[in-house]
Amino acid sequence: MNKLKFVPVLITALCAVNFGFAQVGINTTTPMSTLDINGNLTIKEIGIVNANVAGSSTFNGGPAGSATQINDGVYISLTPTAGNDEFILPNAVDVPGRIYILRNISNAVTARIYTFGGAFYAKDSNTATGAPLNMPANALLKTIIVISDGANWTYIF
């Protein structure tokens, strides 16, 4: 009788293992990746006041030594103000694979980016860049993409 109780558990476990390697397709019958999307993708945006997004608000910086923590969203519009121009990323170790797209929407103040852990590396360098990363108000470097490799942050202007 005990062997009969074991059979459903074994079948369930084998099915769960099989589903653990599944690929998900959205608008495709033959997904080629873990997640394969044939169509548009919308990601969470925070920062800009946007009438089309409920609860959207500006993402203001913090004063020197008390940077505003970045820990939510993917596309984040930064609004630094004089004296409140610092933003800080999470520790890269805690968020491997995390990607942020940051944009300084100020026309007057440079946004300064720090991290709770991990160094900053330019996409084409093996030498760490000293913090902060500066995102000028009126220049070509207003947008930056940062990616955690599980130890450090790689950035692309």
Side-chain angles (χ1 to χ4, degrees):
M1 189 69 172
N2 285 337
K3 289 181 183 179
L4 290 177
K5 290 181 183 178
F6 179 75
V7 171
V9 172
L10 180 62
I11 291 171
T12 303
L14 289 174
C15 289
V17 168
N18 189 29
F19 289 120
F21 297 105
Q23 295 173 317
V24 175
I26 299 174
N27 204 23
T28 180
T29 56
T30 55
M32 302 302 290
S33 299
T34 303
L35 176 60
D36 191 342
I37 301 171
N38 182 13
N40 296 326
L41 171 68
T42 301
I43 54 176
K44 183 177 183 180
E45 171 270 326
I46 61 173
I48 296 175
V49 175
N50 184 338
N52 297 321
V53 179
S56 182
S57 62
T58 56
F59 196 58
N60 298 312
S66 297
T68 297
Q69 186 173 353
I70 296 172
N71 60 7
D72 191 19
V74 175
Y75 185 93
I76 302 171
S77 298
L78 307 176
T79 309
T81 59
N84 292 303
D85 60 352
E86 295 185 359
F87 301 87
I88 192 161
L89 296 167
N91 188 329
V93 172
D94 297 335
V95 290
R98 176 84 51 95
I99 299 172
Y100 292 110
I101 302 167
L102 308 173
R103 177 151 176 89
N104 179 359
I105 63 171
S106 171
N107 290 322
V109 180
T110 296
R112 298 186 296 160
I113 310 298
Y114 295 89
T115 176
F116 277 121
F120 291 116
Y121 285 87
K123 65 176 180 176
D124 56 356
S125 177
N126 61 0
T127 304
T129 303
L133 296 179
N134 292 308
M135 299 173 62
N138 289 314
L140 297 174
L141 307 176
K142 288 180 68 83
T143 301
I144 186 172
I145 299 170
V146 290
I147 306 163
S148 168
D149 65 7
N152 296 296
W153 292 97
T154 299
Y155 66 92
I156 304 165
F157 273 109

